Amino acid sequence: MTEKLKAGIVGGTGMVGQRFVALLDQHPWFQVTAIAASAGSAGKTYEQSVQGRWKLSSAIPDDVKQIIVQDASKVEEVAAQVDFIFCAVDMKKDEIKALEEAYAKTGTPVISNNSAHRWTPDVPMVIPEINPEHIEVIAAQRKRLGTSTGFIAVKPNCSIQSYVPMLHALQQFKPTTVVASTYQAISGAGKNFTDWPEMLDNVIPYIGGEEEKSEQEPLRIWGSIVNDEIVKASTPVITTQCIRVPVTDGHLATVFVSFENKPSKEEILASWKQFKGRPQELDLPSAPKQFINYFEEDNRPQTKLDRDIEQGMAISAGRLREDSLYDYKFVGLSHNTLRGAAGGAVLIAELLKAEGYIQPK
């Protein structure tokens, strides 16, 4: 590629927005040309707008420090400066829906980190290795929105990426029942320990709305396009518990699963090792070379040691063994703000660009 696509970040001052800024620094395909946020941040340089609240260990990239933050509500002005946007705003769900559709109607593709459109029937919710074919529903969405180039695509809840990839790689054995408990980092709430001292030496056994998302969103990922909308799958039956634990980044899951056709342990391990998706076939810039990484050690994967495998874009698994009530049990791990949030959205954008859905305006 000789000229990079112009990317905007709407909601660029929050934790996920900051991740977008960091990930897009020196990206081979995309360059940040606009950052938008609330009216309170508008008019400041990006460096000024995040002063005292930059949450990442890496420094603010030089290329964005002097970008003037714009008012995200001034849709036409922001859209005119970009080929597509990433959206990570902190607003009410109805407001997010309206804002993202307004951007799409300007002919601007929207890659959303928000949950607002995850159940809109003609909006694809994508894990690129698992359901890339769902982007085909964009044609119907464009008709509804009255645009030939704009659309919305979303990434799913961050926690499901700690176990859904492993289950997906075993689809040929037909999983029937899944019990999963997720142990989720505080960055999933957009916080660190300075913001949330109550989490030190503490575990909170509740995350609002998370269990419903964790049980239902995998079924939409495994669904199919019927009459220009995505219809969720009916199996497997999934039940979850979601728990907040005192770690900075990384969601760990403990999983129990039964199958219609029970595989051997060797078949499971081979399926995980061999699994590749469309991002690996296309060699996308953010795609991990080995999507699912299995650890033989009894005490792995560990959140602190293993969340950053392949720049936080790979998934880890371990402790696979037969169970007395279910067929098997295992542990999974994903980086929630990289694979699960901003990094996953960047990978979606790379897929959409490679498949011709995002182009220069």
Side-chain angles (χ1 to χ4, degrees), residues 29 126-136 168 275-285 287-288 291 339 347-348 350-352 354-357:
W29 293 2
V126 181
I127 299 176
E129 284 89 350
I130 294 177
N131 62 329
E133 70 281 358
H134 281 194
I135 65 176
E136 295 171 13
H168 182 74
F275 182 79
K276 296 182 184 298
R278 189 70 174 140
Q280 286 73 37
E281 294 172 3
L282 293 169
D283 194 24
L284 298 178
F291 183 38
R339 165 56 75 162
L347 188 60
I348 292 170
E350 292 170 0
L351 173 69
L352 289 163
E355 301 289 14
Y357 288 85

PDB file of all heavy atoms in Angstrom, residues 29 126-136 168 275-285 287-288 291 339 347-348 350-352 354-357:
ATOM      1  N   TRP A  29      -1.213   0.260   7.454  1.00  0.00           N
ATOM      2  CA  TRP A  29      -2.329   0.565   6.554  1.00  0.00           C
ATOM      3  C   TRP A  29      -3.104   1.822   6.933  1.00  0.00           C
ATOM      4  O   TRP A  29      -3.759   2.418   6.076  1.00  0.00           O
ATOM      5  CB  TRP A  29      -3.312  -0.601   6.528  1.00  0.00           C
ATOM      6  CG  TRP A  29      -2.804  -1.857   5.914  1.00  0.00           C
ATOM      7  CD1 TRP A  29      -1.555  -2.090   5.408  1.00  0.00           C
ATOM      8  CD2 TRP A  29      -3.545  -3.062   5.732  1.00  0.00           C
ATOM      9  NE1 TRP A  29      -1.475  -3.371   4.932  1.00  0.00           N
ATOM     10  CE2 TRP A  29      -2.679  -3.992   5.107  1.00  0.00           C
ATOM     11  CE3 TRP A  29      -4.848  -3.455   6.035  1.00  0.00           C
ATOM     12  CZ2 TRP A  29      -3.078  -5.291   4.786  1.00  0.00           C
ATOM     13  CZ3 TRP A  29      -5.254  -4.749   5.721  1.00  0.00           C
ATOM     14  CH2 TRP A  29      -4.375  -5.652   5.097  1.00  0.00           C
ATOM     15  N   VAL A 126     -18.275  -9.244  14.918  1.00  0.00           N
ATOM     16  CA  VAL A 126     -17.272 -10.100  14.290  1.00  0.00           C
ATOM     17  C   VAL A 126     -16.079 -10.389  15.189  1.00  0.00           C
ATOM     18  O   VAL A 126     -15.515  -9.482  15.806  1.00  0.00           O
ATOM     19  CB  VAL A 126     -16.769  -9.448  12.983  1.00  0.00           C
ATOM     20  CG1 VAL A 126     -15.732 -10.327  12.297  1.00  0.00           C
ATOM     21  CG2 VAL A 126     -17.933  -9.161  12.033  1.00  0.00           C
ATOM     22  N   ILE A 127     -15.717 -11.649  15.267  1.00  0.00           N
ATOM     23  CA  ILE A 127     -14.363 -12.075  15.635  1.00  0.00           C
ATOM     24  C   ILE A 127     -13.763 -12.579  14.332  1.00  0.00           C
ATOM     25  O   ILE A 127     -14.197 -13.601  13.795  1.00  0.00           O
ATOM     26  CB  ILE A 127     -14.368 -13.188  16.694  1.00  0.00           C
ATOM     27  CG1 ILE A 127     -15.028 -12.707  17.990  1.00  0.00           C
ATOM     28  CG2 ILE A 127     -12.918 -13.657  16.980  1.00  0.00           C
ATOM     29  CD1 ILE A 127     -15.162 -13.773  19.057  1.00  0.00           C
ATOM     30  N   PRO A 128     -12.810 -11.875  13.741  1.00  0.00           N
ATOM     31  CA  PRO A 128     -12.411 -12.148  12.353  1.00  0.00           C
ATOM     32  C   PRO A 128     -11.991 -13.586  12.065  1.00  0.00           C
ATOM     33  O   PRO A 128     -12.239 -14.072  10.955  1.00  0.00           O
ATOM     34  CB  PRO A 128     -11.244 -11.169  12.139  1.00  0.00           C
ATOM     35  CG  PRO A 128     -11.598 -10.008  13.001  1.00  0.00           C
ATOM     36  CD  PRO A 128     -12.168 -10.630  14.250  1.00  0.00           C
ATOM     37  N   GLU A 129     -11.409 -14.271  13.035  1.00  0.00           N
ATOM     38  CA  GLU A 129     -11.041 -15.672  12.799  1.00  0.00           C
ATOM     39  C   GLU A 129     -12.243 -16.610  12.792  1.00  0.00           C
ATOM     40  O   GLU A 129     -12.138 -17.747  12.320  1.00  0.00           O
ATOM     41  CB  GLU A 129     -10.053 -16.154  13.874  1.00  0.00           C
ATOM     42  CG  GLU A 129      -8.641 -15.649  13.700  1.00  0.00           C
ATOM     43  CD  GLU A 129      -8.388 -14.323  14.382  1.00  0.00           C
ATOM     44  OE1 GLU A 129      -9.370 -13.689  14.848  1.00  0.00           O
ATOM     45  OE2 GLU A 129      -7.224 -13.902  14.441  1.00  0.00           O
ATOM     46  N   ILE A 130     -13.373 -16.161  13.334  1.00  0.00           N
ATOM     47  CA  ILE A 130     -14.492 -17.083  13.568  1.00  0.00           C
ATOM     48  C   ILE A 130     -15.649 -16.877  12.598  1.00  0.00           C
ATOM     49  O   ILE A 130     -16.163 -17.844  12.026  1.00  0.00           O
ATOM     50  CB  ILE A 130     -14.969 -16.946  15.031  1.00  0.00           C
ATOM     51  CG1 ILE A 130     -13.850 -17.425  15.973  1.00  0.00           C
ATOM     52  CG2 ILE A 130     -16.258 -17.731  15.268  1.00  0.00           C
ATOM     53  CD1 ILE A 130     -14.169 -17.275  17.439  1.00  0.00           C
ATOM     54  N   ASN A 131     -16.087 -15.644  12.406  1.00  0.00           N
ATOM     55  CA  ASN A 131     -17.264 -15.428  11.553  1.00  0.00           C
ATOM     56  C   ASN A 131     -17.060 -14.298  10.542  1.00  0.00           C
ATOM     57  O   ASN A 131     -17.885 -13.382  10.450  1.00  0.00           O
ATOM     58  CB  ASN A 131     -18.506 -15.161  12.410  1.00  0.00           C
ATOM     59  CG  ASN A 131     -18.386 -13.896  13.252  1.00  0.00           C
ATOM     60  OD1 ASN A 131     -17.301 -13.504  13.675  1.00  0.00           O
ATOM     61  ND2 ASN A 131     -19.510 -13.254  13.493  1.00  0.00           N
ATOM     62  N   PRO A 132     -15.984 -14.339   9.753  1.00  0.00           N
ATOM     63  CA  PRO A 132     -15.761 -13.262   8.778  1.00  0.00           C
ATOM     64  C   PRO A 132     -16.857 -13.157   7.737  1.00  0.00           C
ATOM     65  O   PRO A 132     -17.087 -12.085   7.173  1.00  0.00           O
ATOM     66  CB  PRO A 132     -14.413 -13.637   8.146  1.00  0.00           C
ATOM     67  CG  PRO A 132     -14.326 -15.113   8.298  1.00  0.00           C
ATOM     68  CD  PRO A 132     -14.951 -15.389   9.641  1.00  0.00           C
ATOM     69  N   GLU A 133     -17.571 -14.255   7.488  1.00  0.00           N
ATOM     70  CA  GLU A 133     -18.628 -14.246   6.477  1.00  0.00           C
ATOM     71  C   GLU A 133     -19.792 -13.341   6.861  1.00  0.00           C
ATOM     72  O   GLU A 133     -20.579 -12.920   6.001  1.00  0.00           O
ATOM     73  CB  GLU A 133     -19.134 -15.669   6.223  1.00  0.00           C
ATOM     74  CG  GLU A 133     -19.945 -16.318   7.339  1.00  0.00           C
ATOM     75  CD  GLU A 133     -19.106 -16.867   8.498  1.00  0.00           C
ATOM     76  OE1 GLU A 133     -17.852 -16.779   8.426  1.00  0.00           O
ATOM     77  OE2 GLU A 133     -19.706 -17.388   9.456  1.00  0.00           O
ATOM     78  N   HIS A 134     -19.919 -12.993   8.144  1.00  0.00           N
ATOM     79  CA  HIS A 134     -21.012 -12.127   8.571  1.00  0.00           C
ATOM     80  C   HIS A 134     -20.918 -10.724   7.983  1.00  0.00           C
ATOM     81  O   HIS A 134     -21.919  -9.996   7.960  1.00  0.00           O
ATOM     82  CB  HIS A 134     -21.071 -12.056  10.097  1.00  0.00           C
ATOM     83  CG  HIS A 134     -21.720 -13.242  10.730  1.00  0.00           C
ATOM     84  ND1 HIS A 134     -22.144 -13.277  12.049  1.00  0.00           N
ATOM     85  CD2 HIS A 134     -22.033 -14.467  10.222  1.00  0.00           C
ATOM     86  CE1 HIS A 134     -22.668 -14.462  12.320  1.00  0.00           C
ATOM     87  NE2 HIS A 134     -22.604 -15.191  11.229  1.00  0.00           N
ATOM     88  N   ILE A 135     -19.737 -10.321   7.509  1.00  0.00           N
ATOM     89  CA  ILE A 135     -19.633  -8.981   6.924  1.00  0.00           C
ATOM     90  C   ILE A 135     -20.456  -8.866   5.642  1.00  0.00           C
ATOM     91  O   ILE A 135     -20.740  -7.748   5.190  1.00  0.00           O
ATOM     92  CB  ILE A 135     -18.174  -8.573   6.667  1.00  0.00           C
ATOM     93  CG1 ILE A 135     -17.501  -9.453   5.620  1.00  0.00           C
ATOM     94  CG2 ILE A 135     -17.382  -8.568   7.974  1.00  0.00           C
ATOM     95  CD1 ILE A 135     -16.068  -9.020   5.261  1.00  0.00           C
ATOM     96  N   GLU A 136     -20.880  -9.987   5.091  1.00  0.00           N
ATOM     97  CA  GLU A 136     -21.704  -9.942   3.873  1.00  0.00           C
ATOM     98  C   GLU A 136     -23.055  -9.275   4.119  1.00  0.00           C
ATOM     99  O   GLU A 136     -23.708  -8.813   3.177  1.00  0.00           O
ATOM    100  CB  GLU A 136     -21.889 -11.349   3.320  1.00  0.00           C
ATOM    101  CG  GLU A 136     -20.587 -11.984   2.828  1.00  0.00           C
ATOM    102  CD  GLU A 136     -20.745 -13.456   2.482  1.00  0.00           C
ATOM    103  OE1 GLU A 136     -21.899 -13.931   2.390  1.00  0.00           O
ATOM    104  OE2 GLU A 136     -19.716 -14.130   2.299  1.00  0.00           O
ATOM    105  N   HIS A 168     -14.935 -22.768  19.238  1.00  0.00           N
ATOM    106  CA  HIS A 168     -15.156 -22.697  17.793  1.00  0.00           C
ATOM    107  C   HIS A 168     -14.257 -23.674  17.044  1.00  0.00           C
ATOM    108  O   HIS A 168     -14.696 -24.295  16.063  1.00  0.00           O
ATOM    109  CB  HIS A 168     -14.897 -21.281  17.290  1.00  0.00           C
ATOM    110  CG  HIS A 168     -15.154 -21.123  15.827  1.00  0.00           C
ATOM    111  ND1 HIS A 168     -16.426 -21.079  15.294  1.00  0.00           N
ATOM    112  CD2 HIS A 168     -14.304 -21.042  14.768  1.00  0.00           C
ATOM    113  CE1 HIS A 168     -16.351 -20.965  13.981  1.00  0.00           C
ATOM    114  NE2 HIS A 168     -15.070 -20.942  13.640  1.00  0.00           N
ATOM    115  N   PHE A 275      -5.869 -24.703  14.028  1.00  0.00           N
ATOM    116  CA  PHE A 275      -6.909 -23.749  13.636  1.00  0.00           C
ATOM    117  C   PHE A 275      -6.325 -22.446  13.116  1.00  0.00           C
ATOM    118  O   PHE A 275      -5.467 -21.827  13.753  1.00  0.00           O
ATOM    119  CB  PHE A 275      -7.858 -23.448  14.794  1.00  0.00           C
ATOM    120  CG  PHE A 275      -8.961 -22.504  14.391  1.00  0.00           C
ATOM    121  CD1 PHE A 275     -10.056 -22.970  13.686  1.00  0.00           C
ATOM    122  CD2 PHE A 275      -8.878 -21.153  14.673  1.00  0.00           C
ATOM    123  CE1 PHE A 275     -11.060 -22.100  13.275  1.00  0.00           C
ATOM    124  CE2 PHE A 275      -9.876 -20.281  14.273  1.00  0.00           C
ATOM    125  CZ  PHE A 275     -10.964 -20.762  13.569  1.00  0.00           C
ATOM    126  N   LYS A 276      -6.775 -22.035  11.963  1.00  0.00           N
ATOM    127  CA  LYS A 276      -6.452 -20.739  11.377  1.00  0.00           C
ATOM    128  C   LYS A 276      -7.738 -20.124  10.856  1.00  0.00           C
ATOM    129  O   LYS A 276      -8.659 -20.826  10.465  1.00  0.00           O
ATOM    130  CB  LYS A 276      -5.440 -20.873  10.233  1.00  0.00           C
ATOM    131  CG  LYS A 276      -4.070 -21.385  10.644  1.00  0.00           C
ATOM    132  CD  LYS A 276      -3.125 -21.433   9.455  1.00  0.00           C
ATOM    133  CE  LYS A 276      -1.781 -22.041   9.834  1.00  0.00           C
ATOM    134  NZ  LYS A 276      -1.081 -21.249  10.852  1.00  0.00           N
ATOM    135  N   GLY A 277      -7.788 -18.814  10.829  1.00  0.00           N
ATOM    136  CA  GLY A 277      -8.944 -18.111  10.309  1.00  0.00           C
ATOM    137  C   GLY A 277      -8.568 -17.240   9.129  1.00  0.00           C
ATOM    138  O   GLY A 277      -7.438 -17.246   8.643  1.00  0.00           O
ATOM    139  N   ARG A 278      -9.536 -16.470   8.682  1.00  0.00           N
ATOM    140  CA  ARG A 278      -9.317 -15.580   7.541  1.00  0.00           C
ATOM    141  C   ARG A 278      -8.165 -14.589   7.786  1.00  0.00           C
ATOM    142  O   ARG A 278      -7.380 -14.325   6.862  1.00  0.00           O
ATOM    143  CB  ARG A 278     -10.627 -14.842   7.232  1.00  0.00           C
ATOM    144  CG  ARG A 278     -10.608 -14.043   5.952  1.00  0.00           C
ATOM    145  CD  ARG A 278     -10.581 -14.933   4.734  1.00  0.00           C
ATOM    146  NE  ARG A 278     -10.700 -14.163   3.497  1.00  0.00           N
ATOM    147  CZ  ARG A 278     -10.016 -14.409   2.393  1.00  0.00           C
ATOM    148  NH1 ARG A 278      -9.168 -15.438   2.363  1.00  0.00           N
ATOM    149  NH2 ARG A 278     -10.190 -13.673   1.325  1.00  0.00           N
ATOM    150  N   PRO A 279      -7.998 -14.034   8.984  1.00  0.00           N
ATOM    151  CA  PRO A 279      -6.874 -13.118   9.189  1.00  0.00           C
ATOM    152  C   PRO A 279      -5.511 -13.761   8.962  1.00  0.00           C
ATOM    153  O   PRO A 279      -4.590 -13.104   8.461  1.00  0.00           O
ATOM    154  CB  PRO A 279      -7.041 -12.675  10.651  1.00  0.00           C
ATOM    155  CG  PRO A 279      -8.501 -12.797  10.897  1.00  0.00           C
ATOM    156  CD  PRO A 279      -8.904 -14.032  10.145  1.00  0.00           C
ATOM    157  N   GLN A 280      -5.391 -15.036   9.347  1.00  0.00           N
ATOM    158  CA  GLN A 280      -4.122 -15.732   9.112  1.00  0.00           C
ATOM    159  C   GLN A 280      -3.932 -16.025   7.622  1.00  0.00           C
ATOM    160  O   GLN A 280      -2.822 -15.891   7.092  1.00  0.00           O
ATOM    161  CB  GLN A 280      -4.077 -17.027   9.931  1.00  0.00           C
ATOM    162  CG  GLN A 280      -3.864 -16.829  11.427  1.00  0.00           C
ATOM    163  CD  GLN A 280      -5.081 -16.278  12.152  1.00  0.00           C
ATOM    164  OE1 GLN A 280      -6.217 -16.621  11.832  1.00  0.00           O
ATOM    165  NE2 GLN A 280      -4.859 -15.393  13.123  1.00  0.00           N
ATOM    166  N   GLU A 281      -5.011 -16.384   6.935  1.00  0.00           N
ATOM    167  CA  GLU A 281      -4.920 -16.625   5.482  1.00  0.00           C
ATOM    168  C   GLU A 281      -4.502 -15.357   4.743  1.00  0.00           C
ATOM    169  O   GLU A 281      -3.707 -15.411   3.797  1.00  0.00           O
ATOM    170  CB  GLU A 281      -6.273 -17.105   4.949  1.00  0.00           C
ATOM    171  CG  GLU A 281      -6.713 -18.469   5.462  1.00  0.00           C
ATOM    172  CD  GLU A 281      -8.142 -18.785   5.059  1.00  0.00           C
ATOM    173  OE1 GLU A 281      -8.761 -17.968   4.335  1.00  0.00           O
ATOM    174  OE2 GLU A 281      -8.650 -19.854   5.466  1.00  0.00           O
ATOM    175  N   LEU A 282      -5.038 -14.214   5.181  1.00  0.00           N
ATOM    176  CA  LEU A 282      -4.738 -12.935   4.527  1.00  0.00           C
ATOM    177  C   LEU A 282      -3.460 -12.293   5.052  1.00  0.00           C
ATOM    178  O   LEU A 282      -3.019 -11.284   4.502  1.00  0.00           O
ATOM    179  CB  LEU A 282      -5.909 -11.968   4.733  1.00  0.00           C
ATOM    180  CG  LEU A 282      -7.227 -12.326   4.049  1.00  0.00           C
ATOM    181  CD1 LEU A 282      -8.358 -11.435   4.568  1.00  0.00           C
ATOM    182  CD2 LEU A 282      -7.109 -12.208   2.529  1.00  0.00           C
ATOM    183  N   ASP A 283      -2.888 -12.862   6.112  1.00  0.00           N
ATOM    184  CA  ASP A 283      -1.696 -12.307   6.751  1.00  0.00           C
ATOM    185  C   ASP A 283      -1.918 -10.839   7.108  1.00  0.00           C
ATOM    186  O   ASP A 283      -1.104  -9.961   6.783  1.00  0.00           O
ATOM    187  CB  ASP A 283      -0.466 -12.465   5.842  1.00  0.00           C
ATOM    188  CG  ASP A 283       0.840 -12.225   6.587  1.00  0.00           C
ATOM    189  OD1 ASP A 283       0.848 -12.394   7.816  1.00  0.00           O
ATOM    190  OD2 ASP A 283       1.839 -11.860   5.933  1.00  0.00           O
ATOM    191  N   LEU A 284      -3.016 -10.563   7.796  1.00  0.00           N
ATOM    192  CA  LEU A 284      -3.343  -9.199   8.186  1.00  0.00           C
ATOM    193  C   LEU A 284      -2.330  -8.682   9.208  1.00  0.00           C
ATOM    194  O   LEU A 284      -1.785  -9.458  10.004  1.00  0.00           O
ATOM    195  CB  LEU A 284      -4.756  -9.140   8.763  1.00  0.00           C
ATOM    196  CG  LEU A 284      -5.886  -9.549   7.805  1.00  0.00           C
ATOM    197  CD1 LEU A 284      -7.230  -9.486   8.516  1.00  0.00           C
ATOM    198  CD2 LEU A 284      -5.893  -8.668   6.557  1.00  0.00           C
ATOM    199  N   PRO A 285      -2.050  -7.388   9.211  1.00  0.00           N
ATOM    200  CA  PRO A 285      -0.980  -6.847  10.057  1.00  0.00           C
ATOM    201  C   PRO A 285      -1.118  -7.164  11.543  1.00  0.00           C
ATOM    202  O   PRO A 285      -0.118  -7.396  12.215  1.00  0.00           O
ATOM    203  CB  PRO A 285      -1.063  -5.333   9.812  1.00  0.00           C
ATOM    204  CG  PRO A 285      -1.656  -5.198   8.457  1.00  0.00           C
ATOM    205  CD  PRO A 285      -2.619  -6.345   8.314  1.00  0.00           C
ATOM    206  N   ALA A 287      -2.904  -9.708  12.856  1.00  0.00           N
ATOM    207  CA  ALA A 287      -3.292 -11.104  13.102  1.00  0.00           C
ATOM    208  C   ALA A 287      -2.168 -11.885  13.768  1.00  0.00           C
ATOM    209  O   ALA A 287      -1.023 -11.818  13.324  1.00  0.00           O
ATOM    210  CB  ALA A 287      -3.680 -11.776  11.790  1.00  0.00           C
ATOM    211  N   PRO A 288      -2.472 -12.636  14.828  1.00  0.00           N
ATOM    212  CA  PRO A 288      -1.450 -13.500  15.410  1.00  0.00           C
ATOM    213  C   PRO A 288      -1.123 -14.647  14.459  1.00  0.00           C
ATOM    214  O   PRO A 288      -2.003 -15.147  13.754  1.00  0.00           O
ATOM    215  CB  PRO A 288      -2.115 -14.025  16.687  1.00  0.00           C
ATOM    216  CG  PRO A 288      -3.579 -13.980  16.386  1.00  0.00           C
ATOM    217  CD  PRO A 288      -3.776 -12.774  15.505  1.00  0.00           C
ATOM    218  N   PHE A 291      -3.070 -18.540  16.445  1.00  0.00           N
ATOM    219  CA  PHE A 291      -4.233 -17.947  17.106  1.00  0.00           C
ATOM    220  C   PHE A 291      -4.442 -18.524  18.500  1.00  0.00           C
ATOM    221  O   PHE A 291      -4.577 -17.794  19.483  1.00  0.00           O
ATOM    222  CB  PHE A 291      -5.472 -18.169  16.232  1.00  0.00           C
ATOM    223  CG  PHE A 291      -6.739 -17.546  16.755  1.00  0.00           C
ATOM    224  CD1 PHE A 291      -6.723 -16.302  17.371  1.00  0.00           C
ATOM    225  CD2 PHE A 291      -7.952 -18.195  16.610  1.00  0.00           C
ATOM    226  CE1 PHE A 291      -7.896 -15.717  17.842  1.00  0.00           C
ATOM    227  CE2 PHE A 291      -9.132 -17.618  17.074  1.00  0.00           C
ATOM    228  CZ  PHE A 291      -9.095 -16.383  17.691  1.00  0.00           C
ATOM    229  N   ARG A 339      -6.844  -7.854  22.240  1.00  0.00           N
ATOM    230  CA  ARG A 339      -7.727  -8.739  21.463  1.00  0.00           C
ATOM    231  C   ARG A 339      -9.194  -8.449  21.747  1.00  0.00           C
ATOM    232  O   ARG A 339     -10.020  -8.424  20.832  1.00  0.00           O
ATOM    233  CB  ARG A 339      -7.382 -10.191  21.790  1.00  0.00           C
ATOM    234  CG  ARG A 339      -8.420 -11.223  21.346  1.00  0.00           C
ATOM    235  CD  ARG A 339      -8.749 -11.187  19.885  1.00  0.00           C
ATOM    236  NE  ARG A 339      -7.719 -11.750  19.032  1.00  0.00           N
ATOM    237  CZ  ARG A 339      -7.931 -12.133  17.765  1.00  0.00           C
ATOM    238  NH1 ARG A 339      -9.135 -11.996  17.205  1.00  0.00           N
ATOM    239  NH2 ARG A 339      -6.948 -12.599  17.029  1.00  0.00           N
ATOM    240  N   LEU A 347      -8.263  -5.257  13.994  1.00  0.00           N
ATOM    241  CA  LEU A 347      -8.227  -6.445  13.139  1.00  0.00           C
ATOM    242  C   LEU A 347      -9.476  -6.529  12.261  1.00  0.00           C
ATOM    243  O   LEU A 347      -9.395  -6.911  11.078  1.00  0.00           O
ATOM    244  CB  LEU A 347      -8.095  -7.704  14.000  1.00  0.00           C
ATOM    245  CG  LEU A 347      -7.863  -9.014  13.249  1.00  0.00           C
ATOM    246  CD1 LEU A 347      -6.579  -8.980  12.431  1.00  0.00           C
ATOM    247  CD2 LEU A 347      -7.850 -10.206  14.221  1.00  0.00           C
ATOM    248  N   ILE A 348     -10.633  -6.157  12.789  1.00  0.00           N
ATOM    249  CA  ILE A 348     -11.852  -6.106  11.977  1.00  0.00           C
ATOM    250  C   ILE A 348     -11.678  -5.112  10.835  1.00  0.00           C
ATOM    251  O   ILE A 348     -12.044  -5.386   9.685  1.00  0.00           O
ATOM    252  CB  ILE A 348     -13.074  -5.730  12.844  1.00  0.00           C
ATOM    253  CG1 ILE A 348     -13.406  -6.846  13.835  1.00  0.00           C
ATOM    254  CG2 ILE A 348     -14.302  -5.455  11.955  1.00  0.00           C
ATOM    255  CD1 ILE A 348     -14.446  -6.450  14.874  1.00  0.00           C
ATOM    256  N   GLU A 350      -8.933  -4.172   9.434  1.00  0.00           N
ATOM    257  CA  GLU A 350      -7.996  -4.747   8.462  1.00  0.00           C
ATOM    258  C   GLU A 350      -8.703  -5.762   7.573  1.00  0.00           C
ATOM    259  O   GLU A 350      -8.489  -5.787   6.343  1.00  0.00           O
ATOM    260  CB  GLU A 350      -6.825  -5.401   9.201  1.00  0.00           C
ATOM    261  CG  GLU A 350      -5.927  -4.401   9.909  1.00  0.00           C
ATOM    262  CD  GLU A 350      -4.914  -5.048  10.835  1.00  0.00           C
ATOM    263  OE1 GLU A 350      -4.904  -6.304  10.928  1.00  0.00           O
ATOM    264  OE2 GLU A 350      -4.126  -4.318  11.460  1.00  0.00           O
ATOM    265  N   LEU A 351      -9.547  -6.596   8.174  1.00  0.00           N
ATOM    266  CA  LEU A 351     -10.324  -7.563   7.386  1.00  0.00           C
ATOM    267  C   LEU A 351     -11.227  -6.843   6.389  1.00  0.00           C
ATOM    268  O   LEU A 351     -11.276  -7.203   5.198  1.00  0.00           O
ATOM    269  CB  LEU A 351     -11.155  -8.444   8.320  1.00  0.00           C
ATOM    270  CG  LEU A 351     -12.151  -9.385   7.646  1.00  0.00           C
ATOM    271  CD1 LEU A 351     -11.437 -10.503   6.890  1.00  0.00           C
ATOM    272  CD2 LEU A 351     -13.116  -9.988   8.687  1.00  0.00           C
ATOM    273  N   LEU A 352     -11.931  -5.816   6.851  1.00  0.00           N
ATOM    274  CA  LEU A 352     -12.857  -5.084   5.981  1.00  0.00           C
ATOM    275  C   LEU A 352     -12.122  -4.350   4.862  1.00  0.00           C
ATOM    276  O   LEU A 352     -12.608  -4.278   3.741  1.00  0.00           O
ATOM    277  CB  LEU A 352     -13.666  -4.097   6.825  1.00  0.00           C
ATOM    278  CG  LEU A 352     -14.708  -4.749   7.751  1.00  0.00           C
ATOM    279  CD1 LEU A 352     -15.149  -3.776   8.832  1.00  0.00           C
ATOM    280  CD2 LEU A 352     -15.910  -5.246   6.956  1.00  0.00           C
ATOM    281  N   ALA A 354      -9.191  -5.394   3.588  1.00  0.00           N
ATOM    282  CA  ALA A 354      -8.695  -6.442   2.688  1.00  0.00           C
ATOM    283  C   ALA A 354      -9.802  -7.010   1.805  1.00  0.00           C
ATOM    284  O   ALA A 354      -9.552  -7.407   0.654  1.00  0.00           O
ATOM    285  CB  ALA A 354      -8.056  -7.569   3.506  1.00  0.00           C
ATOM    286  N   GLU A 355     -11.034  -7.026   2.322  1.00  0.00           N
ATOM    287  CA  GLU A 355     -12.167  -7.555   1.557  1.00  0.00           C
ATOM    288  C   GLU A 355     -12.892  -6.477   0.745  1.00  0.00           C
ATOM    289  O   GLU A 355     -13.923  -6.742   0.139  1.00  0.00           O
ATOM    290  CB  GLU A 355     -13.162  -8.241   2.517  1.00  0.00           C
ATOM    291  CG  GLU A 355     -12.564  -9.385   3.332  1.00  0.00           C
ATOM    292  CD  GLU A 355     -12.256 -10.635   2.521  1.00  0.00           C
ATOM    293  OE1 GLU A 355     -12.254 -10.560   1.265  1.00  0.00           O
ATOM    294  OE2 GLU A 355     -12.020 -11.692   3.118  1.00  0.00           O
ATOM    295  N   GLY A 356     -12.367  -5.248   0.741  1.00  0.00           N
ATOM    296  CA  GLY A 356     -12.888  -4.203  -0.129  1.00  0.00           C
ATOM    297  C   GLY A 356     -14.012  -3.358   0.444  1.00  0.00           C
ATOM    298  O   GLY A 356     -14.598  -2.535  -0.261  1.00  0.00           O
ATOM    299  N   TYR A 357     -14.310  -3.519   1.744  1.00  0.00           N
ATOM    300  CA  TYR A 357     -15.414  -2.763   2.348  1.00  0.00           C
ATOM    301  C   TYR A 357     -14.996  -1.375   2.808  1.00  0.00           C
ATOM    302  O   TYR A 357     -15.838  -0.488   2.951  1.00  0.00           O
ATOM    303  CB  TYR A 357     -16.005  -3.535   3.527  1.00  0.00           C
ATOM    304  CG  TYR A 357     -16.815  -4.742   3.116  1.00  0.00           C
ATOM    305  CD1 TYR A 357     -16.206  -5.971   2.873  1.00  0.00           C
ATOM    306  CD2 TYR A 357     -18.202  -4.657   2.949  1.00  0.00           C
ATOM    307  CE1 TYR A 357     -16.956  -7.077   2.491  1.00  0.00           C
ATOM    308  CE2 TYR A 357     -18.951  -5.752   2.575  1.00  0.00           C
ATOM    309  CZ  TYR A 357     -18.325  -6.963   2.347  1.00  0.00           C
ATOM    310  OH  TYR A 357     -19.056  -8.059   1.973  1.00  0.00           O
TER     311      TYR A 357
END
